[in-house]
Amino acid sequence: MHIKSDTEIYGIIGHPIKHSISPIVHNAAFEDLKMNCIYESFDVLPENIDNAILGIKSLNIKGINVTIPFKEAVIPLLDYLSDNSKRIGAVNTIKNNNGHLEGYNTDASGFTISLLEQGIQIKDKDIVIIGAGGAARAIVFALATNGAHSILIANRTKERAKNLCDYANKNYNFKCSYCTINEVYNIENIDILINATNVGMYPRIDLSPVDEIIICKAKFVYDLIYNPRKTLFLKYAQSYGIKNSNGLSMLINQANCSFKIWTGKNFNKKLVNDMINKKEFAK
Ligand code: NAP
């Protein structure tokens, strides 16, 4: 990549940030499309988030992805919020539109497109989500707006599951309930089982958020984690012959949606996927 004085700057802010693979994704896309742009990662301490957002304007950074722990914190610092980001209550993409900072959320669409690409329909399905954090919130939005029949949110901290469930019942017209992870064992019919926790992520790859007694009841199993590619959660699904997916396609699709917001173009998802696979990962 040849950086010049007029090279446009994009990036991601989070803390910590060094494990993010977003720079691989976007730099591969810029290079492939021969765009004079570069994507960097910025480790921002929580006490510096306001200054970091001001810096987007003053340094004329063209676009920024936002990750943990800032997806909610950036909201009051922006000039405009898309309907989706308002409804989800989180921003993962900021576009600098001539000094006007616009906030978007592409996690939900990234997840929906990822399921569609794998031939999985959301409409009329009974779905269990393990986890009630920021990612689970975007997924509830995606499921609710695509016609899911019911959603059960199972989380370690019951209060957080209740909060997300209350939000869903208030905002969408479908059946949402909640329980702790231990209580999910009573459920019989699961069309789609989703892990939206970080349990099983590298380096704690010996863990699964629920054990196989639950997993074997599902018709399709999705783990938002992509490092490792096959978590213990997915290995259990595999051992029962259940179709399953890791979170890499969601990551690539949400990145492509952000890229489109910034540049008006789609990138080549296969090329980006191949580029990620070339890099070192704990499998
Ligand atoms: P978050 O807001 O911090 O939420 C973390 C969730 O994990 C909470 O529900 C938390 O439960 C649960 N959890 C953490 N440690 C646990 C443990 N030891 N046992 C049981 N539950 C535990 O994080 P997030 O943004 O929602 O991200 C969640 C996961 O999704 C991460 O692995 C992230 O990498 C992944 N993700 C993937 C993509 C993608 O594109 N593939 C996009 C976004 C996120 P409590 O409420 O009890 O703390």
Side-chain angles (χ1 to χ4, degrees):
M1 181 169 294
H2 188 61
I3 299 171
K4 297 182 283 187
S5 58
D6 62 349
T7 300
E8 293 189 343
I9 300 172
Y10 293 80
I12 181 165
I13 54 172
H15 181 70
I17 199 67
K18 72 175 179 193
H19 295 297
S20 171
I21 61 172
S22 295
I24 299 172
V25 171
H26 290 283
N27 285 322
F30 286 141
E31 210 156 322
D32 180 50
L33 291 165
K34 300 191 174 28
M35 296 173 72
N36 181 20
C37 306
I38 187 170
Y39 187 103
E40 250 292 5
S41 60
F42 301 99
D43 194 339
V44 175
L45 293 174
E47 60 267 32
N48 291 334
I49 185 62
D50 294 29
N51 285 337
I53 297 300
L54 284 176
I56 297 173
K57 285 190 191 185
S58 48
L59 298 175
N60 196 22
I61 292 172
K62 298 293 179 184
I64 281 285
N65 282 130
V66 183
T67 188
I68 297 171
F70 300 127
K71 288 185 184 182
E72 292 166 26
V74 297
I75 287 178
L77 308 172
L78 303 177
D79 302 309
Y80 160 86
L81 290 176
S82 69
D83 283 349
N84 283 7
S85 65
K86 267 193 232 164
R87 290 178 75 189
I88 296 166
V91 162
N92 78 331
T93 304
I94 298 173
K95 177 177 179 169
N96 181 357
N97 194 355
N98 297 317
H100 195 249
L101 297 187
E102 301 172 349
Y104 299 87
N105 188 302
T106 66
D107 283 331
S109 46
F111 175 74
T112 308
I113 297 167
S114 162
L115 282 189
L116 285 176
E117 284 179 349
Q118 300 182 65
I120 305 297
Q121 301 296 324
I122 294 171
K123 192 162 171 32
D124 298 331
K125 295 292 191 301
D126 294 310
I127 297 161
V128 174
I129 304 174
I130 315 292
R137 203 176 171 91
I139 282 166
V140 165
F141 172 84
L143 298 174
T145 50
N146 282 282
H149 176 252
S150 74
I151 300 178
L152 172 66
I153 300 163
N155 196 45
R156 177 178 62 177
T157 310
K158 200 168 187 172
E159 188 60 22
R160 211 167 172 201
K162 180 182 183 307
N163 288 345
L164 182 51
C165 188
D166 288 349
Y167 153 83
N169 282 324
K170 195 169 139 205
N171 290 284
Y172 311 112
N173 184 22
F174 75 121
K175 253 174 37 191
C176 188
S177 51
Y178 68 94
C179 64
T180 65
I181 293 184
N182 294 335
E183 289 163 344
V184 85
Y185 287 82
N186 303 324
I187 191 158
E188 281 313 316
N189 183 40
I190 309 176
D191 290 318
I192 305 175
L193 175 65
I194 301 164
N195 177 28
T197 74
N198 37 27
V199 181
M201 189 159 71
Y202 181 82
R204 296 302 314 275
I205 61 172
D206 54 327
L207 300 177
S208 170
V210 288
D211 73 31
E212 54 188 308
I213 301 168
I214 306 291
I215 297 167
C216 71
K217 295 178 185 173
K219 298 188 183 77
F220 180 73
V221 172
Y222 197 105
D223 200 330
L224 263 64
I225 294 170
Y226 48 83
N227 184 15
R229 300 289 204 281
K230 274 284 175 226
T231 55
L232 184 57
F233 182 71
L234 294 186
K235 282 181 183 166
Y236 283 139
Q238 190 101 358
S239 71
Y240 287 94
I242 300 166
K243 191 170 174 185
N244 60 84
S245 171
N246 64 34
L248 193 56
S249 65
M250 174 178 169
L251 179 93
I252 291 174
N253 279 301
Q254 65 80 22
N256 186 43
C257 293
S258 299
F259 195 85
K260 182 97 196 264
I261 287 168
W262 293 329
T263 68
K265 298 175 204 267
N266 287 303
F267 61 57
N268 180 337
K269 291 190 233 176
K270 181 171 181 324
L271 175 133
V272 164
N273 187 51
D274 291 347
M275 185 60 86
I276 295 167
N277 284 327
K278 271 195 205 157
K279 303 283 166 179
E280 279 306 304
F281 255 94
K283 299 271 187 320

